[in-house]
Amino acid sequence: MNDTTKRYTERFIQNFNTAKKVFKLDGNYAAVSYAAFLLTSNAVITEERLREAKKEVSRQSAGFINIKNTLAKEVAAAAVAESTDLEYAAQKINEIYDSLKKITPGADFYGVPASVIYKNVNSVEYDSIVERVRTIYKGLKKKHPFLTSYEDIIACTLMAMSGKRTEEVVEDCEDCFSFLKDKYFINNNAQTVACILSIFPGTPTEKCKKSATAEKALKNAKVSLGDRALASVAAVSMIVKEEDLNTLITDVTEISEELKSVRGLGNMGVGKNFRNLISLSIAAAAYSEAEAINIGGVAASSVVSTMFAQQLTMIVCMASSVSMATVAASSSSN
């Protein structure tokens, strides 16, 4: 593990531990999504500042469906905490969130893309980016009405920020999907990967082959991640050179071993697969900084941290849903 990777690992652990103190009732997964969103941030966020950010996000939230009541609130708090003006940041993120949730129902995740847009887009372009998200989502929905859902909004956000024309990025996504649909048993997985690959330059064939190579390398190295990580692996395959994959995998193994000793990140905490996904995000973010790669004006490191914040947030939501269903079943049987 080189100095850059070690620095990223230590930063993640520090942010994770801070979030656990502030969001005590939300569990380890929520703390992970907070720390993942801050992977590429150099801001030193104290426990006190995060508490202030949390309060501001809540204060600016309005209506029955809002960020403070979703499992993406930790990500929103991260974006607010690293801002110089907490009130302004919370207000704008909530405004963007309100605009995004009008595109399609399913607003539990929208605190993530709202925070991404706030962090990476000039304020005068917020509305135009949201409109691009809407157009891209409609383009995907038209081509795949049964596959496209609210879960694709974060990918649509990245596609909207890619710098490509909306028609171009949707067409690129469709070309990648055509190549991938026979590779994955579940077409949803094919579309998820296709959306991420469409952000990057290159032909659909080249990109799909690179993604397959990265998946195979991780599988051969016995780095288990789970199906929910396919989009993140696709992003990594576009950022990491093929000849550097083995080095990256070595880093992932070493990082995972270090994280294993952190309370909440061990096998009895988030588990091995989830910890490996965290480790992959850290290694890829460190790599993208060292290589200074850019994607049409959007820093690769931002894409990496965003992708992993999305993946981890979605897993948090799924884990919470399972937990609530279990509690409900238990209550009904009593």
Side-chain angles (χ1 to χ4, degrees):
M1 191 188 307
N2 60 35
D3 291 340
T4 302
T5 305
K6 186 173 180 59
R7 172 165 52 86
Y8 271 75
T9 304
E10 291 173 348
R11 176 192 297 166
F12 179 90
I13 293 172
Q14 180 181 358
N15 287 328
F16 172 76
N17 286 330
T18 299
K20 279 206 305 179
K21 295 175 184 176
V22 177
F23 297 97
K24 290 182 179 179
L25 300 179
D26 294 339
N28 298 320
Y29 291 106
V32 166
S33 65
Y34 167 85
F37 189 80
L38 293 173
L39 266 178
T40 58
S41 172
N42 290 317
V44 178
I45 299 173
T46 63
E47 181 181 339
E48 180 182 5
R49 184 168 182 79
L50 179 54
R51 290 189 186 281
E52 292 175 0
K54 178 184 177 183
K55 289 179 182 178
E56 199 59 51
V57 169
S58 179
R59 193 173 75 83
Q60 294 292 336
S61 297
F64 181 72
I65 301 176
N66 54 64
I67 294 178
K68 73 176 181 179
N69 293 328
T70 72
L71 291 162
K73 62 182 177 293
E74 288 81 11
V75 172
V80 171
E82 67 173 335
S83 174
T84 55
D85 188 332
L86 299 184
E87 182 179 0
Y88 175 81
Q91 177 186 346
K92 288 300 177 183
I93 290 172
N94 272 284
E95 288 176 359
I96 298 168
Y97 172 86
D98 287 338
S99 296
L100 288 171
K101 73 182 185 183
K102 293 175 183 177
I103 298 175
T104 185
D108 278 357
F109 302 119
Y110 293 177
V112 179
S115 301
V116 169
I117 292 172
Y118 171 78
K119 180 176 179 177
N120 295 287
V121 176
N122 190 296
S123 59
V124 298
E125 298 178 348
Y126 290 159
D127 290 341
S128 63
I129 286 293
V130 170
E131 188 55 38
R132 281 174 59 81
V133 173
R134 185 192 311 276
T135 302
I136 291 170
Y137 180 82
K138 285 184 176 180
L140 295 180
K141 191 75 171 175
K142 183 177 180 180
K143 292 179 180 295
H144 304 287
F146 299 109
L147 292 182
T148 307
S149 70
Y150 62 88
E151 292 185 6
D152 295 304
I153 289 294
I154 181 65
C156 291
T157 301
L158 293 173
M159 292 164 76
M161 292 167 54
S162 69
K164 293 184 177 182
R165 291 180 296 106
T166 54
E167 299 85 357
E168 178 188 359
V169 75
V170 171
E171 194 59 39
D172 193 324
C173 179
E174 180 61 19
D175 289 342
C176 289
F177 176 82
S178 295
F179 190 93
L180 295 167
K181 63 182 180 180
D182 293 330
K183 170 180 168 53
Y184 296 108
F185 180 73
I186 301 175
N187 279 342
N188 270 323
N189 290 341
Q191 174 154 306
T192 298
V193 173
C195 285
I196 299 308
L197 295 181
S198 71
I199 300 167
F200 297 84
T203 68
T205 301
E206 291 171 344
K207 292 185 288 188
C208 291
K209 285 183 177 179
K210 285 183 179 179
S211 180
T213 297
E215 285 184 40
K216 184 176 180 180
L218 287 162
K219 183 177 180 180
N220 289 342
K222 293 181 171 46
V223 178
S224 55
L225 298 165
D227 284 348
R228 302 297 294 186
L230 288 173
S232 298
V233 175
V236 168
S237 73
M238 294 294 97
I239 292 166
V240 179
K241 298 172 184 175
E242 190 171 329
E243 59 266 29
D244 293 337
L245 279 174
N246 287 335
T247 300
L248 182 85
I249 290 171
T250 298
D251 286 341
V252 170
T253 304
E254 292 177 356
I255 294 169
S256 185
E257 192 61 31
E258 183 166 342
L259 294 181
K260 188 177 179 179
S261 63
V262 177
R263 186 177 180 83
L265 298 179
N267 291 340
M268 297 300 291
V270 299
K272 184 177 180 179
N273 285 5
F274 198 74
R275 186 174 64 252
N276 283 342
L277 181 56
I278 298 167
S279 302
L280 182 64
S281 74
I282 294 172
Y287 179 94
S288 63
E289 176 189 294
E291 295 298 317
I293 304 169
N294 284 278
I295 310 159
V298 179
S301 57
S302 295
V303 173
V304 172
S305 60
T306 299
M307 279 307 312
F308 280 94
Q310 174 224 9
Q311 291 297 310
L312 302 176
T313 302
M314 289 177 70
I315 293 173
V316 168
C317 290
M318 290 175 64
S320 177
S321 298
V322 171
S323 177
M324 288 188 290
T326 301
V327 172
S330 176
S331 299
S332 64
S333 64
N334 291 336

